[in-house]
Amino acid sequence: MQQTPVYTQALSDPVFRIIAKASQNLNVSSYVIGGYVRDYLLERNTSKEMDIDVVVIGSGIELAKEVAKLLPGKPKVSIFKNFGTAMIKSSGWELEFVGARKESYQKDSRKPAVEEGTLKDDQNRRDFTINALALSLSEKDFGSLLDPFNGIEDLNAKLIRTPLDPDITYSDDPLRMLRAIRFATQLNFKIEKESLEAIKRNKNRIKIISKERIVTELNKILLAQKPSIGFALLLKVGLLDYILPELTALQGVDEKDGQRHKDNFWHTLEVVDNIAETTDNLWLRWAALLHDIGKAPTKRFDKDTGWTFHSHEFVGSKMVYKLFKRLRMPLNDKMKLVQKLVLLSSRPIAISNDVTDSAVRRLIFDAGDSIEDLMLLCEADITTKNPRKFRTYHNNFKRVRKKIKEVEERDHVRNFQPPVSGEEIMHFYGIGPSREVGIIKEAIKEAILEGVIPNEKDAAMEFMQTKGAEIGLTPA
Ligand code: CTP
């Protein structure tokens, strides 16, 4: 008979002995299950490595209370009665307790009808074999692995597989379709063929999942090392059309009069992978994902110039708002950053051939503190396979960066504050708020951005007087 593997090393933290002791006190069996076991076996360090899911053959709430009594400082137990679960936070750990269940889900909701069950029942109803691995916390077989679905084999084969018939697992909880793709992306695993087919069949069930949960998974895909794996899978199974139709609309290459444009969907995925190499900033990754969405509605063919996407940056930045709203994402400064980056996404390339001081000053003025993020996005946007062009574009951007630095040091236009205020203009001419004040302020700003005058008070005052005389103002 094959010997059960034992992983006491995984349970070396004193907290596990405490849970074991509490289980013994209540005369129940308990197990560590799910992400903690999976990530330990994968030697994976994640920010969530401090989450421990404990399943008990009995009441999760009772066990949690007993554990809390034994833990140093007797921490508080948060009880979620409706779910029959309890949570304790202690020395950096987040301990989640749940009673083993035999569940059946109702058709139109993710809320299951709960029935007590055995460990095997509980493992059965979990999403993937690699998430159903359990380590015993009983004194008699502390650390033994309970793996009825060969999760270890799947872990080694890098395979996402469901314990039950995938149609049941996904239909029970459609969020799992996204979780499968998310784990495939994070862990660089393959989704087993049967599973992939089941996702295709069940894709429209995603509609019962809340937008917030969908976005949580999308964010995890975007934050993975190679997000394109996830988005390619989402496209393949047909889920992307439900979630981000703006992206599927970018697919395809049109040809007219022998002129073709690039496939903007696959280009976008390359840009996202590129930016993932330079930043972990989620919002910059969103900006990369959405930077070309305006191209689908603006695509035109012009017989002189070929394929055009006029104003796609402007149209795209408007679409960002609608998309964030639809997905119930935050409509805050993060959304504004994404909008700004989409809006300005073509500017650095447009000026990179002939980098003038005034063009760079305008760019810094418009991008403000997002200038560095914008440059990262534009560099990631270079996906040409022609090595000569690749080098040229990167060298051009190096020149833009150098110029940005020079102009910044000299002209300080990043967070532009007019050197002469409206109040000062009104006081000088003895006038009240009026159109003239606006004209003068705008003229000063333009003169600074164009490099006609330096960004300094004296020069601006002098310029104000010339401009004021032009429009018939006399000093008070
Ligand atoms: N689980 C499930 N179906 C879901 C969500 C979770 O079966 N829709 C089970 C899995 O066994 C999972 C465990 O509950 O391992 C804990 O879920 P969660 O904390 O969301 O995921 P982890 O596996 O811990 O992974 P991560 O921390 O990366 O989200």
Side-chain angles (χ1 to χ4, degrees), residues 360-476:
V360 168
R361 254 191 308 269
R362 280 184 187 281
L363 180 66
I364 302 171
F365 176 76
D366 290 335
D369 283 336
S370 311
I371 186 76
E372 174 60 27
D373 291 344
L374 180 64
M375 291 309 294
L376 284 180
L377 174 60
C378 290
E379 280 154 355
D381 203 1
I382 304 173
T383 59
T384 173
K385 300 292 169 289
N386 176 330
R388 195 178 47 78
K389 282 191 184 168
F390 185 88
R391 260 196 318 275
T392 308
Y393 293 150
H394 273 284
N395 284 338
N396 285 352
F397 279 145
K398 276 196 193 122
R399 291 217 311 276
V400 175
R401 277 182 179 277
K402 191 159 166 268
K403 193 67 140 192
I404 289 173
K405 203 157 174 267
E406 281 169 24
V407 171
E408 273 261 86
E409 276 164 13
R410 198 180 57 219
D411 300 343
H412 313 289
V413 286
R414 180 183 287 233
N415 293 306
F416 182 81
Q417 296 294 333
V420 180
S421 70
E423 290 289 323
E424 284 168 313
I425 298 168
M426 290 190 279
H427 182 75
F428 187 85
Y429 289 110
I431 56 175
S434 53
R435 203 169 65 89
E436 282 76 10
V437 180
I439 291 173
I440 291 183
K441 272 185 82 173
E442 184 60 23
I444 293 172
K445 186 189 94 187
E446 279 299 311
I448 291 168
L449 291 178
E450 278 305 309
V452 178
I453 58 168
N455 187 10
E456 287 160 13
K457 180 127 191 162
D458 288 350
M461 285 297 282
E462 211 182 306
F463 183 82
M464 172 190 78
Q465 291 176 56
T466 318
K467 190 74 199 169
E470 255 174 57
I471 59 171
L473 291 176
T474 43

Side-chain angles (χ1 to χ4, degrees), residues 33-36 38-39 44 46 48 51 53 105 110 125-128 131-132 173 175-176 179 182-183 186 213 217 220:
I33 196 163
Y36 180 84
R38 178 197 69 222
D39 290 344
R44 183 166 174 252
T46 68
K48 283 197 69 191
D51 283 13
D53 292 302
Y105 283 75
R110 290 187 65 242
R125 62 156 201 104
R126 288 189 178 257
D127 52 2
F128 307 115
N131 286 346
D173 180 359
L175 180 70
R176 291 169 170 170
R179 282 173 62 90
R182 187 256 289 187
F183 283 121
Q186 284 180 322
R213 281 170 179 271
E217 296 302 323
K220 287 184 180 180

